[in-house]
Amino acid sequence: MSSTVIARTRFSVLDRSRTREGHPPAEALRDTVALAREAEALGYHRFWVSEHHGVPGVAGSAPTVLAAAVASATRSIRVGTGGVMLPNHQPLVVAEQFGVLESLFPGRIDMGLGRSVGFTDGVRKALGRDKEVAEDFAGQLGELLGWFEGGSPTGVRARPAEGLRVPPFVLAMGEGARIAARAGLPMVIGDLRGREKMLRGIDQYRSLFRPSPWAPEPYVVISGTVAVAGTEEEARRLLVPEAWSMAYARTRGTFPPLAPAEEIEARTMTAKERGFYEAGLAGHIAGTEDQVAHELETVLKETGADEVLVTTSSYDRTALLDSYRRLAALFASGL
């Protein structure tokens, strides 16, 4: 099946450094760096890392530090954050960090920015932030970009950020699509399971978009889980560990490390757990190469997206890498 729409679309990877049962957090971070090398060899356009605080299931708590390790271990792939959660930080410090990254790895760094604050009261207290701080995301974003353009009312200058061009992207959760459009910035929007909501966000972004020095026209990155395997059943098994982690988090209030698929499938679940688990398995793009190509073609035509940011996590690293290889074969050949 030939697909020019897949072949002309950029594909990128967001790895959340998910921890795994029986494996130390340090291994998750090393796995992220190793996956970045593989993604580069396979022809993915960018490789992003995430920010989570106090989450047992995620080792990636310092995305700019991890991005430096990824950029050091690779040569050409773009490297960035998906994202730095701006309300958690002073914009000056974020500008300085990205200024350092761009200075060390010129022309390769992306600045993906989100508006979430810590997920729990304890984390927010530890960060010295409250929920309301996210309400001024547009102002924080403007201040951050201003540091790159030079000067501030305080007379301080962000060094070495000032004068550098680090492409900003807005992670569009809720209000994010409108903020990205008004600021004239590229937008990352998920999740592939909520197709109608995603399409509404994209339509709103395109209709409100104002050209800026950062982006002359709208640029849409859609994000979500894509799993490719030799059979439909194998692809579904890739989804099992993350689906159970979500069900566990919804019923117990904490997001755990990934467990092996066979262990999860053998579990006796409560009706509530089962409901969340089944919902967690549904709606992703998963299957054989032909099935995934068909689904991708459909979603790309519906959204008109410029890029797909693949966010798949699984316990089985070998199967996960195989999935990324199979997907790369689709966009490399357009088949």
Side-chain angles (χ1 to χ4, degrees), residues 164-237:
L164 298 179
R165 299 284 296 175
V166 183
F169 294 74
V170 173
L171 277 59
M173 304 289 281
E175 175 71 8
R178 287 188 288 278
I179 292 169
R182 292 191 186 114
L185 300 179
M187 175 184 73
V188 182
I189 189 166
D191 148 0
L192 290 167
R193 291 182 298 171
R195 207 66 59 84
E196 285 182 22
K197 187 179 177 187
M198 177 189 268
L199 289 170
R200 281 199 303 275
I202 291 170
D203 286 347
Q204 185 177 59
Y205 168 71
R206 288 201 176 107
S207 66
L208 295 174
F209 187 86
R210 298 175 186 164
S212 76
W214 301 95
E217 56 194 28
Y219 189 89
V220 174
V221 183
I222 56 173
S223 74
T225 295
V226 181
V228 198
T231 67
E232 202 171 344
E233 181 57 30
E234 287 173 307
R236 184 185 177 278
R237 283 174 68 79

Side-chain angles (χ1 to χ4, degrees), residues 51-56 85 88 116-133 249 252-255:
E51 175 183 333
H52 294 271
H53 300 284
V55 179
M85 295 302 157
N88 290 339
S116 297
V117 284
F119 290 135
T120 66
D121 289 339
V123 169
R124 287 191 291 272
K125 190 173 181 183
L127 290 169
R129 297 291 189 268
D130 56 37
K131 281 183 178 177
E132 287 66 45
V133 74
R252 292 171 174 79
T254 184
F255 193 65

Side-chain angles (χ1 to χ4, degrees), residues 17-20 22-33 59 317:
S17 306
R18 292 285 277 112
T19 56
R20 296 184 291 157
H23 297 260
E27 189 176 330
L29 296 171
R30 288 193 292 269
D31 284 343
T32 291
V33 175
R317 300 294 300 185

